[in-house]
Amino acid sequence: MEPVKQTIDTLRKNIEQWNYQYYVLAQPLISDLEFDLKVKELEKLEAEHPEYFDANSPTQRVGSDLNNNFVPVEHRYPMLSLANTYSEGEVQEFYNRTQKALNEDFEIVCELKYDGTSISLLYENGVLTRAITRGDGVRGDDVTTNVRTIKSIPLRLHGTGYPASFEIRGEILLPWTAFNTLNEEREESGEAPFANPRNAAAGSLKTLNAQVVAQRKLDSFLYYLLGEDLPCDTHYNNLQAARQWGFKISDATKKCATLEEVFDFIHYWNTERKNLPVATDGIVLKVNSIKQQLNLGWTAKSPRWAIAYKFQAEQAETRLNSVDFQVGRTGTVTPVANLEPVLLSGTIVKRASLHNADIISALDLHIGDLCLVEKGGEIIPKITGVNTEARFMIGDKVQFIQKCPACGTPLVREADEAAYYCPNTTGCEPQIKGRIEHFVSRKAMNINAGEGTVEAFFNAGLIRNAADLYKINVQDIFGLERWGEKSAQNFVDSIAESKNVPYPRVLYALGIRFVGETVAKRLARAFPTIDQLMAASHEELIDVGDIGDRIAGSVLDYFADAENRKQLEQLRSFELQFALDKEILAEKTNHLEGKTFVISGIFSHHSRDEYKELIEQHGGKNTATVSAKTNYILAGENMGPAKLEKAEKLGVQIINEDEFLKMI
Ligand code: IVH
């Protein structure tokens, strides 16, 4: 094969893969800059060699984020992208080209380029009727139910003067604060954090459960109107009109009459954007007059009347010294690069995330390589490329390890997950310590264990699991390095105190994979005792709102494990809270004095035995059979028909659980 054809084929293959990672998996492998350069390189070669034309080349389409779970619908107007540039020279070329083509005065509207996921909203008679993702530009996914949960998107328009039917396009964003909170929650529940707010926003929009979307605090900015009878003949005025109808339109939108003003805008926002609550990745320049836009027209992929100037992500080059593999409390193994310290946007960077095995092999990373380190908006810097030309003494190729670095167990990878994990949950030290650390943490059992406590107790052989914490007494600790009598007593007091931590937090403290604070609360509400939760089937679990297959599977796995059950029984013997509203369960009153009860059927809030106990605690009496002396029948589901008949005959009052709980 001709070498140039080979280059073209390789580029096409790579770009396809990067596209898939970016659009389908939302796990980009390379930086936008590098991607754009590769696409440009391919476009150039294809233009020079028309004999190798291929309708399926990645240059012939705009990328796809179609997801099987949503119904694809055709866009009324194709959803094109923008031509990109990273150089001010090309901005000037765009300006000159436009001037030449129009040969009359024109204005440029400068806007921020928001870094989220694009959306097209259809309004008919002032009502939001459809929201579609970009998809492949021709067809996108119908995500209306999810979009309706985004508070900044009007469901009904304000004011008057809007066309009977029009589309408005914009960006769905997850603000930095919401992004950080979401990732903290994900890490707490043992889930992989999102790499950036863009992926988090795109992932959220594709979430099947609209309630989850509603909690995500997504936001929006709208920047482009389409329709037959828009109110104004300039883009800028249409945006101002849209703002009156209730849309979120950026204040950072400026009409510029000269190229100088355009550059002022670019320079101002190049630094000022860092103070914005949402991620931006550039500036968009648009010709203001709609008539002039129509004159300039479109190419197959993008409008000729607009261009995007992209900010350079802050980058630095530095040497890769080694790669560490860390094991988390859920067994997930994360690769971390140790770098020659380098200054990057004001901080010294020594370590960078390598995300997962796919990313390592796509980078073809070798120890000693000069790497490109980038700090987009993300908090943790990442390696986005390797300077292969600077590679003269090649070190070992970085391979993702096959065995757990802590315990040697072969790692496993689940079919649809990028991460490897160590399955040796009960014998792998970092997992054991990690679980205890999680158990004592503030949001869990809130045990007064300072930095290094778990490590020290573990090394002293005092603890092997969370239950062991409750066996520790002052003498055990007193005498350990840096522990005095007072601190030992404080610790033991704090352990005793933790026995009052309510059930939902105890559930969270157990560290069941994917069971974060919110899920734990939800589970506790649906299954008010640990026994009920342990007895729950897969179906019963997913019947609880927002509990999917993955969480249900993880809960079942947890309770199926004999070690876990043993630990639970120990914790129970130490009197931790394993039921909701222990206060209610333990409280004694005389609310039911003189009353006789018969219990029948199956209950959902408490077990039959618990109800018997409750009746006695509140001064009532339990009997087995219905008689003239019976005051109430506490009836659950499937109450025996004989009892029911007898109760009706004797005129005994039948009450359900809720009514009973109100009585006490
Ligand atoms: S205008 C035909 N304006 O950037 C023009 N796009 O690379 C349509 N974007 O798909 C787009 N901020 O998702 C426009 N102020 C802005 C934007 C913006 C972000 C995104 C949008 C688009 C992509 C193009």
Side-chain angles (χ1 to χ4, degrees), residues 77 83 163 214 271 276 319 430 527 572:
Y77 311 89
T271 48
L276 292 172
R319 192 88 47 203
F527 306 97
R572 206 203 283 259

Side-chain angles (χ1 to χ4, degrees), residues 95-113:
Y95 196 89
N96 294 343
R97 201 163 56 234
T98 307
Q99 197 155 42
K100 200 165 161 213
L102 290 174
N103 198 20
E104 60 185 3
D105 284 348
F106 64 99
E107 284 175 327
I108 293 287
V109 177
C110 286
E111 298 167 13
L112 286 172
K113 187 170 187 305

